[in-house]
Amino acid sequence: MKKTKAVLFSILIILFFFNLSFPQENLSPLPPTEVRASDTPNDNGHSITVTWKLSGDDGADKKNVVAYEILRSDSPTGEFIVRGMVPAGNNTYQDRGAKEKEDKNYFHPHKDFYYKVRAKTLNSYSESEVAGPAQAYGEWFHLGKLPVFVGTVTFTIMVLAFISLARKGKEFYVRPLAGIDAVDDAIGRATEMGRPILYILGLGSAADIATIASFTILNRIAKKTAEHKTKIIVPCNDPIVMSVAQETVKAGYLDAGRPDMYKEENIFYLTSMQFAYVAAVNGIMLREQTATNFYLGKFYAESLILAETGSVAGSIQISGTDEIAQIPFFVAATDFTLIGEELYAASAYLGREPLLLGALKAQDLAKAIVMISLALGALAASFHLGFFLKLFTVQM
Amino acid sequence: MNFLEKLLALDRRIIFLFIAIAVALPLFFTVKLHIEVTPVVRNLHNALEALPPGSKVLVSLDYDPGSMPELQPMAESFFRYCFMRDLKIIIIGLWPNGPIQANSALEVILNEPDIKKKNPKYGMDYVNLGYTAGNEVVIERMGSDIPVTFPKDYSGNKTEDIPLMKGVKNFNNIDFVYNLSAGYPGTVEWVLFGVDPYKIKLGAGNTAVQAPQIYPYLNSGQLVGLLGGMKGGAEFEIATGHPAKAVKFMFSQSVSHALICFFILIGNFAYFATRKKKGA
Amino acid sequence: MRRQLPILIVFVSGVFMVIQYFIPHESFEFIYEYAMDWIIIIGIFAMLLGLWSLTRASVSKVQAKAPGWGFSVMTLVGLATMLFLGFYKGNKSIAEGTFFMDLFWYIYTPIQATMFSLLAFYIASAAYRAFRVRTVLATILLVTALIIMLRLIPLGPISGVNQWLASWILTVPNMAAKRAIWIGVGLGATATALKIIFGIERAYMGKD
Amino acid sequence: METIGIWIAALLTLGIFSFLYKDNPFYKFCESLFVGISAGYWFVTTFWQVFMPKLADNLIAGRFYYMIGAIFGVLMLLRLFPKIGWLSRWSLALVVGTTAGLYFTRYLVSNGMVQVQNTIIPLYVKGNLSQTIGNLVIVIGTFSGLIYFFFSKEHKGAFGGLAKLGIWFLMLSFGASFGYTVMSRMSLLIGRMDYLLGTWLGLIR
């Protein structure tokens, strides 16, 4: 025991002196080994992945390796330049570059590259053998996204199948929805009171799915207001939304056979800034004394300001959004709320168009599949069967 | 209409008036509220305590005036802490307004008597590198070269010439990153593009609305600690032993929360009482 | 031409975007990036439509001397001032320290912050009206909201229990309900997107 | 400038607050000014920060692909001329089609697959009662919540019972979000009060 201690001590002393006289060479760490370079899978073709086995001096007790530098060259004997650095403990690096030819950092695809990995300590380093050649190329299908692909194809087939069933005249049952039944009453009330209806499409752009769902509902409601000869006001916060809303309302008036009653100036643009828009809509509610307010689409923090002001004005309010954080405020402050998915379903409900109802059925079928997967998945997980989870795991 | 019925149909404006008073009045008082420091804030504080004096801390302010009430006290308390502990501050912003917010926080802190004694110098103890466009790409570029990503500081000095920036090449030379975030780009991007590839140590302060989305990163250890909303800011001030704005504001929070609860209770009391009467 | 071609454009661009999601190759990435930029550029052109609509509405109110027409003058003045200040010195017009930015800091910012802060009042009045033990559902709403709000109030001995309960509600049942809504929204939105791509949902196109 | 600015800001703040009492000319003034200023601000900043770098700079650099975007942009403007207004539908179709395709996969992945993936959790965790209960509640809550959103079947019987459980979960979640948001809304008001009482009047520091 004593002997080993003495030996260790003398080794330390020797190391110490060597260190003083030859600071560089003798502190060189062991080099990284088994360096491999290959094309990065599932990418656009401007990247190569380098992997290696950690240096023998990279570890909790030795700790003298602090980082790895990754070097690249066009030829195994040519000049190697540093491409990047990762901290100790890492054994992969993605050498990535730009895809634009004019970019300084352009990464040439389909060209041979050679790699070296350098293990670095604070004052020394050692290099691995050269790996390569490797070429970068782009893939035509992202394998990690296979579950999404399967989902896309299945869901598309389901929607198209139900729609074709609807085309063939199959009748579908859908359960009643409180918010939808309230729409007719709300329009009737405005007519009786002789006051206008306010329709807010939210802050979404014309391309937001919730806004598009809301356009369809607006179209149905415009048709009904035209039949009742009630004024409908649609202030917008996006110019494209305004243009579309004008077309939609006009179409509703055409459907009702009253194109003469359509007034473009009632569908107007205010401003695209959230709270300035709200300030103006608040004013409209109180000054026009709207009898019924619809808030359907994308809503953010302004939801509660609108709903509370509308309630001060004594309007009947029907709301709906897929913006999950705002649903609680609509539920608390408006008379009827279409929660999340119900907003999308509403267009099918209001129009009773068989095609739209068919799509709704496909949605329900998909939901059933999801519910079964949830139940089976949880059971599988309870018995430590990991394969089920893999079916839903998407690699980006 | 008797009193209870009036209470049931209480004019909103009375509630508004009470809320205004409940928020404004406590601002005039300094009350030692008992605020417990939760583990997520404690962890952040411990991680900072472990840094030796002279460590370089990168502060990324990613918010605009809209989130000032929640995040500005966090910025101030953090700067104060760094100056007291002699940690070197490097400020950047992924939002255009971030560096402006930093300057106004610094103005407050540098005028505090304790800090004045320490007399921190620009360029030696702290530096503001300003804003660079590019969102998460900025973080990626900083991973390879900070002076190239931020070639000049906020006032136009060359980054290379600033004494504090000597030897700061990339994240390897940064000991801690602190991010104040109100959305995109923010803490999520710092985790995905900073922590994951470069293994930086990251602590963050978020708005209360944003905080729940950040929680998963705490559980997975990608984030050292988190200040959530004004309460998190107050806890940090308590943890650092220097109660300031957020603690003071928390008094307003408590009073206004209590007031809302009280209103809900009397509303229900009135509802029950009138219903009983009708039943009788 | 008026209706068939737009529906075709929707179909082609929609299908392309779905397909490109699965193809990492750069050729698709390039088209994707261009398409996204085109969308932004179209949006910028459309801004002129917005300004035109706002100006026309305000001017016609002023001309007709409609009630409150003086306020429409204010809108026009504000708009014209910002447009003038924003362009008269070229791209230096909106640098920090210009009069344009002064208006932003001292007019725009405080009004927008104050509008936003109105929510503090409205959240209180909405809570007062909605949180009554009328039905089971309203009671659940009320009780959970109270538990969560109480976490900010010093409650002495039951504070700890309440803190625990509040965080359990936020992380467990709250999370479960949110997931249900998310999944529902996901199915509804994908179905709607499909209906748009296949031209079944086309009310937004209007009629002739 | 700063003093005048603070006074203007403070008065405008009071103008907006006055709406809480009732609609009045002071509020109307602030509102109409705000609409004009914000529309102008938005146009100007979008022009300099988006239009110039995205379109003008790219065209100058000879990237003529961007012309396609500009052509569709001009078509959008044709709405102003009733006779050829229908051409704007082409631009609209491009915008809607592209984003519908984009959102399709985005919603499918982040709202569908990722959520399902997160809910596939063991119903029994050995030796950890609280996690077992938590997992059970999450799975049951998500499942019954989805039942509530089922449109094809009336909420009756056992199915109706599950749907009812689902809506209870939803209400619980709404209550929690509501209560949770109070803090951030109060923060906003505290910020304004601090401005009025501190920055403006100097009553508090």
Side-chain angles (χ1 to χ4, degrees):
Chain A
M1 199 60 200
K2 243 184 188 169
K3 213 175 173 181
T4 42
K5 255 189 191 165
V7 171
L8 276 175
F9 189 65
S10 43
I11 290 176
L12 266 178
I13 299 265
I14 293 168
L15 278 175
F16 186 63
F17 277 99
F18 264 90
N19 188 11
L20 285 182
S21 46
F22 310 105
Q24 295 291 309
E25 285 83 339
N26 290 40
L27 269 186
S28 306
L30 292 167
T33 49
E34 294 176 34
V35 177
R36 309 244 186 285
S38 57
D39 171 56
T40 305
N42 298 327
D43 76 340
N44 61 1
H46 297 277
S47 147
I48 286 177
T49 301
V50 185
T51 61
W52 59 92
K53 209 174 150 210
L54 296 184
S55 150
D57 287 319
D58 181 341
D61 48 342
K62 298 154 191 155
K63 267 213 164 157
N64 56 355
V65 170
V66 291
Y68 294 97
E69 265 179 351
I70 292 81
L71 298 92
R72 187 181 82 183
S73 173
D74 296 347
S75 78
T77 50
E79 189 199 352
F80 277 79
I81 50 160
V82 177
R83 290 291 296 173
M85 180 153 77
V86 294
N90 287 288
N91 62 355
T92 56
Y93 178 78
Q94 263 190 31
D95 184 16
R96 271 181 293 178
K99 62 176 183 288
E100 292 84 11
K101 282 209 174 70
E102 61 267 33
D103 197 300
K104 259 191 294 180
N105 195 20
Y106 176 66
F107 197 114
H108 211 300
H110 304 293
K111 184 180 164 187
D112 283 344
F113 283 119
Y114 299 85
Y115 285 87
K116 273 200 295 201
V117 181
R118 190 185 268 175
K120 285 186 76 164
T121 68
L122 285 177
N123 48 18
S124 172
Y125 65 82
S126 62
E127 286 180 354
S128 71
E129 317 224 311
V130 174
Q135 281 194 351
Y137 49 90
E139 277 76 13
W140 289 96
F141 187 79
H142 194 304
L143 281 173
K145 290 174 176 172
L146 191 63
V148 187
F149 185 74
V150 174
T152 303
V153 172
T154 324
F155 193 50
T156 310
I157 291 173
M158 270 158 40
V159 169
L160 292 180
F162 273 100
I163 286 172
S164 86
L165 275 180
R167 275 222 174 94
K168 283 179 193 144
K170 185 164 171 50
E171 300 241 345
F172 293 118
Y173 167 82
V174 285
R175 73 174 164 87
L177 218 58
I180 299 294
D181 300 338
V183 168
D184 280 325
D185 297 343
I187 296 171
R189 184 181 120 104
T191 313
E192 273 168 33
M193 295 170 86
R195 292 204 207 145
I197 286 171
L198 180 70
Y199 194 102
I200 309 284
L201 287 147
L203 292 190
S205 77
D208 270 308
I209 310 279
T211 315
I212 291 186
S214 184
F215 283 137
T216 311
I217 304 171
L218 173 62
N219 172 263
R220 311 284 185 258
I221 289 177
K223 183 177 170 215
K224 286 179 185 169
T225 56
E227 285 160 0
H228 287 79
K229 298 182 191 156
T230 306
K231 180 178 169 190
I232 183 165
I233 308 173
V234 189
C236 301
N237 98 111
D238 178 292
I240 302 186
V241 169
M242 172 197 74
S243 315
V244 180
Q246 287 172 345
E247 292 281 329
T248 315
V249 173
K250 201 179 179 182
Y253 276 73
L254 266 171
D255 288 341
R258 305 300 309 257
D260 51 307
M261 282 183 60
Y262 169 71
K263 287 202 179 66
E264 193 166 278
E265 63 265 29
N266 288 337
I267 298 120
F268 51 91
Y269 169 85
L270 285 165
T271 168
S272 296
M273 305 305 260
Q274 181 183 19
F275 286 104
Y277 173 72
V278 175
V281 173
N282 271 355
I284 293 171
M285 280 183 208
L286 295 187
R287 281 156 226 160
E288 298 272 348
Q289 295 283 315
T290 53
T292 304
N293 303 341
F294 291 96
Y295 313 111
L296 301 166
K298 273 249 176 261
F299 287 85
Y300 300 98
E302 74 284 358
S303 63
L304 186 63
I305 302 185
L306 295 172
E308 278 294 288
T309 309
S311 132
V312 170
S315 320
I316 288 273
Q317 309 195 83
I318 297 176
S319 58
T321 184
D322 65 351
E323 202 48 49
I324 215 166
Q326 301 308 325
I327 299 174
F329 303 107
F330 275 150
V331 168
T334 64
D335 300 284
F336 297 95
T337 305
L338 299 169
I339 300 168
E341 193 184 358
E342 292 176 345
L343 171 67
Y344 297 113
S347 59
Y349 269 88
L350 277 173
R352 293 270 152 193
E353 263 183 44
L355 296 190
L356 294 181
L357 282 176
L360 195 59
K361 284 281 154 182
Q363 242 163 282
D364 265 0
L365 180 60
K367 218 174 299 157
I369 294 175
V370 165
M371 285 192 285
I372 293 167
S373 317
L374 274 187
L376 289 180
L379 280 177
S382 309
F383 294 102
H384 308 288
L385 302 171
F387 73 92
F388 210 88
L389 188 56
K390 286 208 186 96
L391 297 179
F392 294 92
T393 310
V394 182
Q395 288 157 7
M396 301 308 260
Chain B
M1 212 190 211
N2 66 16
F3 174 71
L4 283 174
E5 279 165 349
K6 266 188 196 158
L7 201 59
L8 254 187
L10 189 64
D11 190 327
R12 245 171 265 263
R13 284 173 284 197
I14 295 173
I15 300 176
F16 294 164
L17 182 67
F18 273 97
I19 289 288
I21 294 170
V23 167
L25 208 55
L27 293 178
F28 288 94
F29 302 97
T30 312
V31 173
K32 278 229 163 82
L33 264 191
H34 177 72
I35 297 173
E36 207 177 325
V37 181
T38 49
V40 285
V41 177
R42 177 70 65 202
N43 291 346
L44 175 67
H45 182 244
N46 289 345
L48 290 169
E49 287 285 296
L51 297 174
S55 299
K56 286 176 176 137
V57 179
L58 182 85
V59 187
S60 177
L61 290 92
D62 309 328
Y63 62 97
D64 61 10
S67 316
M68 257 181 85
E70 284 180 276
L71 298 182
Q72 198 71 3
M74 291 186 198
E76 290 175 10
S77 61
F78 189 78
F79 290 152
R80 181 189 302 111
Y81 175 82
C82 289
F83 286 137
M84 294 305 286
R85 286 270 338 271
D86 292 318
L87 304 176
K88 311 292 179 195
I89 307 172
I90 302 167
I91 296 162
I92 63 153
L94 300 181
W95 288 33
N97 268 314
I100 304 170
Q101 303 293 349
N103 282 343
S104 76
L106 283 170
E107 205 182 303
V108 174
I109 293 304
L110 292 172
N111 279 318
E112 285 186 359
D114 287 353
I115 308 295
K116 263 193 176 162
K117 261 184 241 158
K118 289 233 158 206
N119 194 20
K121 294 253 182 331
Y122 186 82
M124 303 287 285
D125 301 295
Y126 66 101
V127 60
N128 188 344
L129 296 183
Y131 158 78
T132 288
N135 302 333
E136 64 271 12
V137 179
V138 174
I139 306 175
E140 273 188 338
R141 276 160 52 202
M142 290 176 76
S144 52
D145 204 322
I146 294 176
V148 166
T149 319
F150 290 90
K152 284 179 182 166
D153 76 351
Y154 187 73
S155 11
N157 306 308
K158 268 195 165 169
T159 304
E160 297 162 351
D161 301 341
I162 299 169
L164 175 55
M165 295 305 291
K166 286 264 148 56
V168 178
K169 176 81 178 134
N170 53 32
F171 286 136
N172 287 325
N173 315 108
I174 300 281
D175 300 291
F176 196 86
V177 180
Y178 183 65
N179 161 244
L180 291 176
S181 152
Y184 169 84
T187 306
V188 175
E189 284 66 37
W190 275 104
V191 169
L192 297 182
F193 298 94
V195 175
D196 289 355
Y198 300 107
K199 307 284 178 290
I200 57 172
K201 258 192 247 162
L202 178 69
N206 272 250
T207 56
V209 174
Q210 175 89 350
Q213 293 162 38
I214 308 298
Y215 263 85
Y217 298 118
L218 279 171
N219 299 337
S220 60
Q222 287 155 295
L223 197 59
V224 174
L226 175 71
L227 314 185
M230 203 170 257
K231 184 163 182 282
E235 288 174 26
F236 184 75
E237 289 174 4
I238 297 282
T240 55
H242 201 300
K245 255 189 199 157
V247 170
K248 187 176 161 175
F249 287 165
M250 275 317 280
F251 187 34
S252 285
Q253 288 280 8
S254 288
V255 175
S256 53
H257 273 75
L259 183 78
I260 295 179
C261 293
F262 174 73
F263 267 119
I264 294 175
L265 292 180
I266 60 163
N268 280 291
F269 168 73
Y271 174 71
F272 265 113
T274 48
R275 212 173 51 162
K276 247 185 209 154
K277 248 189 206 159
K278 269 178 202 153
Chain C
M1 197 53 174
R2 290 193 175 197
R3 263 173 85 74
Q4 281 356 10
L5 189 66
I7 300 270
L8 186 69
I9 295 177
V10 168
F11 180 75
V12 171
S13 54
V15 168
F16 171 80
M17 289 305 276
V18 173
I19 291 175
Q20 68 79 31
Y21 175 83
F22 299 101
I23 300 178
H25 199 272
E26 62 178 324
S27 46
F28 274 68
E29 215 175 42
F30 273 119
I31 311 179
Y32 165 80
E33 279 162 16
Y34 281 124
M36 294 324 281
D37 281 342
W38 294 343
I39 305 290
I40 294 171
I41 292 167
I42 294 172
I44 299 169
F45 276 92
M47 291 198 307
L48 290 170
L49 289 179
L51 287 193
W52 170 250
S53 168
L54 179 63
T55 314
R56 197 183 51 172
S58 304
V59 168
S60 68
K61 253 191 200 163
V62 175
Q63 278 173 342
K65 295 260 163 20
W69 62 273
F71 296 111
S72 297
V73 174
M74 272 323 297
T75 303
L76 290 171
V77 169
L79 178 64
T81 313
M82 287 311 258
L83 290 181
F84 172 73
L85 290 175
F87 288 110
Y88 86 115
K89 271 200 274 181
N91 60 359
K92 292 199 179 64
S93 311
I94 61 167
E96 204 58 44
T98 54
F99 194 50
F100 179 85
M101 285 313 282
D102 280 340
L103 290 184
F104 172 73
W105 284 111
Y106 293 117
I107 295 184
Y108 177 82
T109 313
I111 302 187
Q112 97 103 35
T114 313
M115 277 306 295
F116 201 177
S117 76
L118 290 182
L119 279 167
F121 297 103
Y122 288 139
I123 209 168
S125 63
Y128 183 74
R129 261 187 320 121
F131 293 170
R132 300 265 162 87
V133 280
R134 273 188 219 109
T135 59
V136 182
L137 294 184
T139 312
I140 297 174
L141 198 65
L142 162 113
V143 172
T144 36
L146 272 183
I147 292 171
I148 303 289
M149 277 192 268
L150 286 174
R151 84 197 189 288
L152 289 193
I153 303 166
L155 293 173
I158 59 161
S159 225
V161 179
N162 190 68
Q163 294 282 358
W164 176 86
L165 190 60
S167 72
W168 186 80
I169 289 177
L170 283 172
T171 49
V172 180
N174 173 45
M175 186 53 74
K178 289 215 160 122
R179 279 208 191 129
I181 304 178
W182 268 322
I183 294 173
V185 165
L187 293 174
T190 38
T192 310
L194 274 183
K195 286 187 276 181
I196 295 165
I197 294 172
F198 288 112
I200 295 158
E201 183 122 11
R202 54 166 86 171
Y204 65 93
M205 283 279 183
K207 267 189 187 157
D208 281 314
Chain D
M1 184 64 215
E2 207 185 329
T3 323
I4 305 171
I6 289 174
W7 271 82
I8 293 174
L11 291 176
L12 292 172
T13 302
L14 292 176
I16 295 293
F17 277 148
S18 73
F19 181 74
L20 290 169
Y21 183 69
K22 66 185 231 201
D23 192 23
N24 65 75
F26 192 14
Y27 173 78
K28 283 186 201 166
F29 171 83
C30 298
E31 173 210 313
S32 40
L33 181 68
F34 192 27
V35 169
I37 295 254
S38 70
Y41 174 79
W42 164 75
F43 184 82
V44 169
T45 48
T46 317
F47 182 86
W48 290 118
Q49 291 167 1
V50 188
F51 181 82
M52 290 307 278
K54 276 266 185 250
L55 186 60
D57 292 354
N58 276 320
L59 288 182
I60 290 166
R63 285 180 213 113
F64 290 108
Y65 297 107
Y66 285 87
M67 268 318 279
I68 300 176
I71 290 168
F72 275 103
V74 171
L75 287 182
M76 195 74 218
L77 287 181
L78 295 182
R79 281 193 58 78
L80 295 174
F81 310 97
K83 276 208 176 134
I84 43 172
W86 54 273
L87 278 167
S88 69
R89 277 185 201 150
W90 295 3
S91 321
L92 186 68
L94 184 70
V95 174
V96 170
T98 309
T99 36
L102 185 71
Y103 282 132
F104 177 83
T105 43
R106 192 177 285 179
Y107 273 103
L108 189 67
V109 174
S110 56
N111 282 48
M113 320 225 26
V114 173
Q115 297 308 323
V116 173
Q117 187 190 332
N118 290 342
T119 316
I120 296 186
I121 43 180
L123 297 173
Y124 173 68
V125 186
K126 207 176 171 188
N128 192 336
L129 184 67
S130 74
Q131 211 191 336
T132 303
I133 295 175
N135 284 1
L136 215 57
V137 171
I138 287 194
V139 172
I140 292 174
T142 311
F143 192 86
S144 59
L146 281 171
I147 295 246
Y148 169 78
F149 285 114
F150 222 72
F151 299 107
S152 304
K153 209 166 147 60
E154 208 162 345
H155 290 168
K156 271 186 192 158
F159 187 81
L162 272 175
K164 202 172 208 174
L165 184 66
I167 186 83
W168 285 2
F169 266 96
L170 293 185
M171 282 299 158
L172 191 137
S173 157
F174 296 157
S177 304
F178 195 107
Y180 188 80
T181 315
V182 173
M183 179 164 80
S184 54
R185 300 309 181 231
M186 287 302 156
S187 303
L188 300 167
L189 183 57
I190 291 171
R192 284 332 283 164
M193 288 292 184
D194 191 43
Y195 189 85
L196 288 179
L197 299 172
T199 314
W200 182 40
L201 297 175
L203 294 175
I204 52 170
R205 64 163 296 273

